[in-house]
């Protein structure tokens, strides 16, 4: 069953068509990737799904229900969470507070509960803190819990963004270039985390990534965008050998080259 | 060697306590014996700042601080004719601290630059002034006005609620814009409210316009009328205590986190499920509440209000308090508000008196236009610029809550252990 179904979605910015007639679906429990050259419209697509932008036309269904017209926080309440290509942490807040903000929508206490510090409020808060700490442990960030988020290393910030997104207990998580700016060792760690994260947190994953090794290793299904259009989809092997994809990435001259080397190794798109 | 010993001595808890006690006793005695010693009065207030930095438990500090404010300060300053003027200054400090704490929610925590904050103070003040004078009979079809002094206590709540509603009503249109635009729009709305109060004497006389409302009924409790500054001092202190208590609770709750998240990054906050408009409106409304409550106190204390008490300069003054003290920092804002109020009411006034004295005696000739009291705007302007350039974090910068890693961990182990025990039982 698909958790996300996007049909014929188009987004125009004035004269520019950033997403054109895109149809895509994410199966529950799967890891799906969206790839494509810079400016292909991948981030725009994420922004459409999460309610940051509204589509010019088309339909977006989460668990069969439309999320078109909803505000980002309402989409989040439908069980979609995300990370950002240009990291958007709450820089002046501590690491654990960042994760706690992710839990915000699950905290039920009201104004009076806060003011009187009722037992239920306290209990809920302590439970949230413990859960936040466990998430930090999972991402190896536990000893940094009282650091300001802005003081973290780049790789740690990327991980914290994922931890924060998971704190919302999403059904679907969108990762926008999670490995960007990471060194090979960090990327390897991240690959492992993403691979097992889906099962452990019961979350389906849709990710944008330029690191082809990572994409090919973990994705079950891949969509390729170019100039706002979907030019291919399929499993990693289909995509690796698809001439349109090679052309999009390397220019038309590369297709023949790609087809030739394909017989040697299946890593042309790297 | 000497220096290290001295530092060691000063860092010891008990030597701190002894020195602090000495300091408080000496300043209190000198204030009591030499009534005119403004310095002693200020030093006694400053003891609270020292207390803040001492190595004591928080609860101990609150008790000592409360003792100084509720008992020692009024007693020490009651030794002579200046008693009421000291109490007056202290009351004004309390009023401004509460207002600054309210604005701190909006500016410091939620990151919304509001330049019209005094409007909510005005709403609170007018809500009591109108009903505690015959003014209300101009438009109220039932009831007889002025209401008695007992109504003051209910109006503390009503004034707060009116201000909160005003906060939401202003917030709905204003919060569509961000950043610098928000500052300008709030500035506009602040002025609009003042001008509305200035003109609401026709066709129905609500506010008595520019003439203002006079003879506001003094509050009464157990049949005693509260008219003296030291009466209002205690009222203010109680409301202030509530304010501090409330803003601290807010700050360290999910609400405070959502405000800070919105301040840090709106898009990310929304993606985490935080509704932007609702969160911002709540900051406006709750910040306004404290201001409105103090507005009620102000109207009762002055027994007269008119629109000139609620000008743009007042809004700026409150903002200076927040910026100077440290945006988002409760202790910082308290310090900032106290410093600015005292600068305004005590230091500048004293300096002006002194300069006037010198002028009278023919020693120097300072033209009236240059008297220190008139330099208020210049001084605030300078303070803002200096702090923006050299210490944007303020006097006591905001601190994040420190979480105890051990607690979060041990608890987990405890749960694990419980689970193991449970499993063991099952096995048996
Ligand atoms: N808010 C916007 N207004 C106008 N153009 C935009 C906006 N957001 C994205 N675009 C344009 O849409 C195109 C796709 O951008 P983006 O989705 O960020 O690409 P990708 O993430 O695949 O690199 C780019 O040409 C970009 O300039
Ligand atoms: Mg992008």
């Amino acid at each position: 069953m698909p958790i996300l179904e996007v049909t014929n979605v188009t987004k125009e910015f004035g004269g520019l068509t950033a997403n054109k007639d895109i149809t895509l679906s994410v199966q529950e429990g799967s890891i799906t990737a969206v790839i494509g050259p810079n400016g292909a419209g991948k981030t725009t697509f994420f922004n459409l799904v999460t309610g940051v932008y509204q589509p010019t036309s088309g339909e977006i269904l989460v668990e069969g229900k439309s999320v078109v017209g909803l505000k980002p926080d309402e989409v989040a309440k439908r069980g979609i969470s995300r990370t950002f290509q240009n990291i958007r942490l709450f820089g002046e807040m501590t690491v654990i507070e960042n994760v706690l903000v992710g839990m915000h929508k699950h905290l039920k206490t009201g104004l009076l509960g806060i003011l009187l510090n009722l037992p239920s409020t306290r209990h809920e808060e302590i439970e949230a803190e413990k859960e936040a700490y466990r998430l930090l442990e999972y991402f190896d960030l536990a000893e940094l819990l009282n650091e300001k988020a802005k003081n973290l290393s780049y790789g740690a910030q990327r991980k914290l963004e994922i931890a924060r997104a998971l704190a919302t207990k999403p059904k679907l998580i969108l990762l926008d270039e999670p490995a960007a700016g990471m060194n090979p060792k960090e990327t390897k760690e991240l690959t492992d985390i993403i691979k097992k994260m889906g099962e452990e947190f019961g979350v389906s994953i849709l990710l944008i990534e330029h690191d082809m090794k990572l994409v090919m290793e973990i994705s079950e299904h891949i969509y390729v965008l170019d100039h706002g259009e979907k030019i291919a989809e399929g499993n990693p092997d289909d995509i690796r050998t698809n001439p349109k994809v090679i052309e999009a990435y390397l220019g038309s001259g590369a297709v023949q080259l790609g087809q030739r080397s394909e017989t040697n190794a299946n890593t042309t798109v790297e | 060697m000497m220096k290290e010993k001295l530092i060691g001595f000063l860092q010891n808890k008990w030597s701190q306590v002894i020195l602090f006690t000495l300091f408080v006793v000496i300043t209190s005695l000198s204030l009591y014996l030499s009534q005119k010693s403004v310095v002693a009065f200020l030093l006694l207030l400053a003891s609270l700042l020292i207390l803040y930095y001492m190595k004591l438990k928080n609860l101990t500090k609150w008790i000592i601080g409360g003792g100084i404010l509720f008992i020692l300060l009024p007693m020490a300053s009651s030794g002579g004719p200046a008693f009421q003027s000291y109490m007056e200054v202290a009351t004004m400090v309390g009023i401004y601290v509460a207002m600054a704490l309210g604005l701190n929610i909006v500016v410091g925590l939620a990151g919304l630059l509001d330049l019209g904050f005094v409007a909510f103070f005005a709403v609170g003040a007018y809500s009591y002034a109108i009903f505690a004078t015959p003014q209300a009979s101009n438009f109220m079809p039932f009831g007889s006005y002025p209401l008695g002094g007992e109504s003051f206590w209910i109006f503390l709540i009503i004034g707060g609620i009116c201000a909160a509603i005003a906060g939401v009503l202003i917030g709905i249109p204003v919060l569509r814009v961000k950043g610098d635009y928000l500052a300008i729009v709030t500035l506009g709305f602040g002025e609009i409210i003042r001008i509305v109060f200035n003109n609401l004497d026709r066709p129905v006389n609500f506010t008595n316009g520019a003439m203002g409302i006079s003879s506001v009924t003094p509050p009464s409790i157990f049949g005693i009328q509260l008219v003296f500054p030291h009466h209002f001092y205690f009222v203010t202190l109680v409301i202030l205590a509530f304010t501090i208590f409330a803003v601290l609770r807010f700050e360290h709750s999910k609400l405070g986190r959502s405000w800070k998240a919105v301040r840090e990054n709106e898009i990310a906050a929304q993606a985490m499920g935080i509704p932007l408009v609702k969160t911002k409106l709540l900051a406006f409304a709750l910040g306004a509440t404290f201001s409105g409550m103090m507005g009620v106190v102000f109207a009762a204390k002055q027994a007269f209000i008119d629109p000139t008490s609620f000008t743009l300069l007042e809004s700026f003054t409150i903002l200076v308090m927040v910026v100077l003290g440290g945006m988002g920092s409760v202790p910082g804002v308290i310090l900032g508000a106290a410093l600015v109020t005292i600068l305004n009411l005590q230091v500048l006034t004293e300096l002006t008196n002194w300069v006037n004295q010198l002028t009278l005696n023919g020693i120097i000739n300072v033209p009236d236009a240059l008297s220190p009291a008139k330099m208020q705007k210049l001084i605030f302007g300078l303070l803002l610029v200096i702090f923006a350039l050299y210490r944007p974090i303020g006097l006591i910068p905001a601190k994040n809550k420190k979480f105890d890693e051990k607690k979060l961990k041990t608890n987990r182990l405890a749960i694990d252990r419980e689970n193991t025990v449970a499993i063991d039982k099952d096995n048996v």
Side-chain angles (χ1 to χ4, degrees), chain A residues 73 76-77 88 90-92 94 96-97 100-101 104 107 109 111 114-115 117 125 129-130 133 137 146, chain B residues 245 249-250 253-254 257-258 260-261 264-265 268 270-271 273-275 400-401 403 405 409 411-412:
Chain A
D73 54 284
K77 291 193 176 106
R88 288 179 181 273
F90 309 123
E92 287 294 327
T94 60
I96 192 165
E97 278 179 322
L100 283 169
V101 171
H104 181 88
L107 302 180
T109 190
L111 260 187
I114 292 171
L115 210 52
N117 202 15
E125 182 72 19
E129 285 167 15
K130 282 193 248 168
Y133 188 79
E137 283 183 319
N146 285 319
Chain B
F245 170 83
R249 281 274 159 89
F250 289 152
S253 69
K254 70 163 194 178
R257 282 196 300 265
S258 69
K260 287 200 272 180
E264 293 296 307
N265 198 312
Q270 261 188 310
I274 292 173
N400 283 318
K401 181 178 167 189
F403 288 83
E405 194 172 356
K409 234 190 223 157
N411 281 337
R412 196 173 71 106

Side-chain angles (χ1 to χ4, degrees), chain A residues 176-195:
Chain A
D176 197 341
E177 303 198 16
M182 283 190 170
N183 63 36
K185 183 171 162 280
E186 287 173 324
T187 306
K188 175 78 184 66
E189 272 173 29
L190 186 76
T191 310
D192 294 341
I193 290 181
I194 296 178
K195 241 197 294 190

Side-chain angles (χ1 to χ4, degrees), chain A:
Chain A
M1 193 193 120
I3 185 125
L4 175 72
E5 275 179 284
V6 177
T7 32
N8 306 108
V9 156
T10 297
K11 177 65 184 174
E12 287 164 7
F13 293 113
L16 181 114
T17 309
N19 276 187
K20 194 175 171 199
D21 216 17
I22 291 183
T23 297
L24 175 159
S25 71
V26 177
Q27 294 302 315
E28 198 172 334
S30 75
I31 301 182
T32 307
V34 177
I35 63 171
N38 274 324
K42 306 180 296 293
T43 299
T44 302
F45 179 74
F46 271 23
N47 285 334
L48 287 172
V49 173
T50 52
V52 177
Y53 298 148
Q54 292 303 325
T56 312
S57 64
E59 180 63 288
I60 302 169
L61 304 177
V62 173
E63 292 187 305
K65 279 189 241 132
S66 176
V67 294
V68 174
L70 296 188
K71 293 207 198 78
D73 54 284
E74 293 165 332
V75 177
K77 291 193 176 106
R78 292 284 189 85
I80 296 203
S81 195
R82 70 176 291 186
T83 66
F84 297 89
Q85 181 178 354
N86 45 342
I87 298 172
R88 288 179 181 273
L89 287 168
F90 309 123
E92 287 294 327
M93 299 172 78
T94 60
V95 167
I96 192 165
E97 278 179 322
N98 268 271
V99 178
L100 283 169
V101 171
M103 290 176 176
H104 181 88
K105 68 188 175 97
H106 297 291
L107 302 180
K108 294 284 172 285
T109 190
L111 260 187
L112 208 63
I114 292 171
L115 210 52
L116 303 178
N117 202 15
L118 297 175
S120 60
T121 308
R122 254 188 328 235
H123 177 78
E124 177 183 85
E125 182 72 19
I126 291 171
E127 287 308 310
E129 285 167 15
K130 282 193 248 168
E131 202 176 325
Y133 188 79
R134 276 200 292 275
L135 263 169
L136 290 179
E137 283 183 319
Y138 188 82
F139 283 91
D140 226 355
L141 295 167
E143 64 272 34
L144 297 169
L145 85 165
N146 285 319
E147 267 322 302
K148 276 189 185 171
K150 65 169 187 187
N151 295 340
L152 262 51
S153 74
Y154 199 77
Q157 292 196 2
R158 287 238 173 258
K159 285 199 288 185
L160 179 55
E161 266 215 331
I162 301 178
R164 182 182 68 177
L166 282 178
T168 68
K169 304 194 180 86
K171 296 181 183 119
L172 172 67
I173 187 170
L174 311 185
L175 308 173
D176 197 341
E177 303 198 16
M182 283 190 170
N183 63 36
K185 183 171 162 280
E186 287 173 324
T187 306
K188 175 78 184 66
E189 272 173 29
L190 186 76
T191 310
D192 294 341
I193 290 181
I194 296 178
K195 241 197 294 190
K196 57 179 185 166
M197 164 176 113
E199 215 165 292
E200 236 157 291
F201 292 90
V203 61
S204 316
I205 299 168
L206 180 62
L207 78 142
I208 296 173
E209 187 47 65
H210 281 305
D211 188 313
M212 283 309 143
K213 187 155 171 288
L214 188 156
V215 170
M216 295 300 167
E217 185 179 336
I218 65 180
S219 318
E220 288 148 41
H221 203 76
I222 300 174
Y223 292 88
V224 188
L225 300 191
D226 190 26
H227 297 298
E229 287 184 74
K230 183 175 84 179
I231 56 167
E233 71 172 283
N235 63 32
D237 286 333
D238 301 338
I239 297 300
R240 230 192 298 259
T241 53
N242 187 318
K244 269 195 187 162
V245 177
I246 300 165
E247 183 180 331
Y249 267 89
L250 302 171
S252 50
V255 178
Q256 288 177 339
L257 189 78
Q259 276 167 345
R260 222 181 306 139
S261 63
E262 174 210 326
T263 45
N264 307 336
N266 283 338
T267 51
T268 323
V269 190
E270 279 183 35

Side-chain angles (χ1 to χ4, degrees), chain B residues 20-294:
Chain B
F20 180 75
T21 315
L22 262 175
F23 180 84
V24 171
V25 167
I26 291 171
T27 48
S28 313
L29 273 181
S30 22
L31 179 58
Y32 190 78
L33 297 174
S34 143
Q35 259 287 296
K36 285 212 175 128
S37 175
V38 175
V39 176
F41 173 73
L42 295 183
L43 285 178
L44 185 52
L45 276 184
S47 69
L48 294 172
L49 182 62
I50 301 174
L51 181 66
Y52 171 73
Y53 284 109
M54 281 169 64
K55 277 193 176 164
L56 294 174
K57 278 207 201 86
N58 268 338
L59 185 65
T60 323
K61 287 186 190 176
W62 281 113
I63 293 170
I64 298 174
I68 291 176
L69 284 175
F70 273 95
I71 302 166
L72 201 56
L73 187 74
M75 273 184 29
S77 47
S78 69
F83 178 44
Q84 295 302 348
S85 73
Y86 283 132
M87 287 292 98
E88 169 76 21
V89 170
T91 306
M92 287 314 287
V93 170
I95 290 179
Y96 276 110
V97 168
M99 271 205 278
L101 286 172
L103 182 61
N104 182 48
I105 292 181
V106 181
V107 178
L109 293 182
L112 307 163
L113 189 49
D114 182 353
L115 292 183
F117 194 66
V118 80
F120 307 126
F121 186 54
V123 169
Y126 269 97
S127 68
Y128 182 61
I130 289 173
F131 287 90
T133 56
Q135 204 60 36
S137 46
N138 293 341
F139 59 92
M140 286 296 284
F142 52 86
S144 71
Y145 304 94
L147 295 176
E150 294 81 15
S151 70
F152 172 80
W153 310 103
I154 302 161
F155 264 89
L156 282 178
I157 297 168
I158 296 177
I161 293 174
C162 286
I165 293 172
V168 172
L169 290 181
I170 294 181
I172 288 170
V174 155
L175 290 172
R176 288 167 185 277
V177 294
K178 287 179 197 165
D180 304 348
Y181 298 103
L182 179 68
I184 293 176
V185 179
T186 50
L187 185 151
F189 266 90
E191 283 295 273
I192 288 172
I193 290 213
R194 184 178 63 80
I195 293 167
V196 165
F197 282 133
N198 202 32
N199 289 289
L200 262 188
D201 51 348
R202 279 156 302 148
V204 181
N205 187 352
F206 286 97
T207 64
N208 210 24
M211 306 274 288
I213 302 176
S214 51
S215 309
V216 178
T217 314
S220 60
I221 187 167
F222 310 130
I224 310 163
Q225 284 211 328
L226 308 185
V227 282
F228 292 110
H230 73 273
H231 292 148
F232 288 102
Y233 172 75
F234 288 108
V235 174
T236 306
L237 214 50
V238 171
I239 302 174
L240 178 61
F242 167 72
T243 306
I244 296 176
F245 170 83
V247 295
L248 285 175
R249 281 274 159 89
F250 289 152
E251 186 190 341
H252 295 126
S253 69
K254 70 163 194 178
L255 194 56
R257 282 196 300 265
S258 69
W259 284 330
K260 287 200 272 180
V262 166
R263 175 192 74 193
E264 293 296 307
N265 198 312
E266 282 192 3
I267 292 182
Q270 261 188 310
M272 294 303 117
I274 292 173
L276 224 47
V277 175
K278 191 180 147 203
T279 306
K280 288 180 177 181
L281 279 181
L282 210 52
F284 256 56
L286 290 176
T289 307
F290 304 114
S291 206
M293 290 172 94
M294 282 307 189

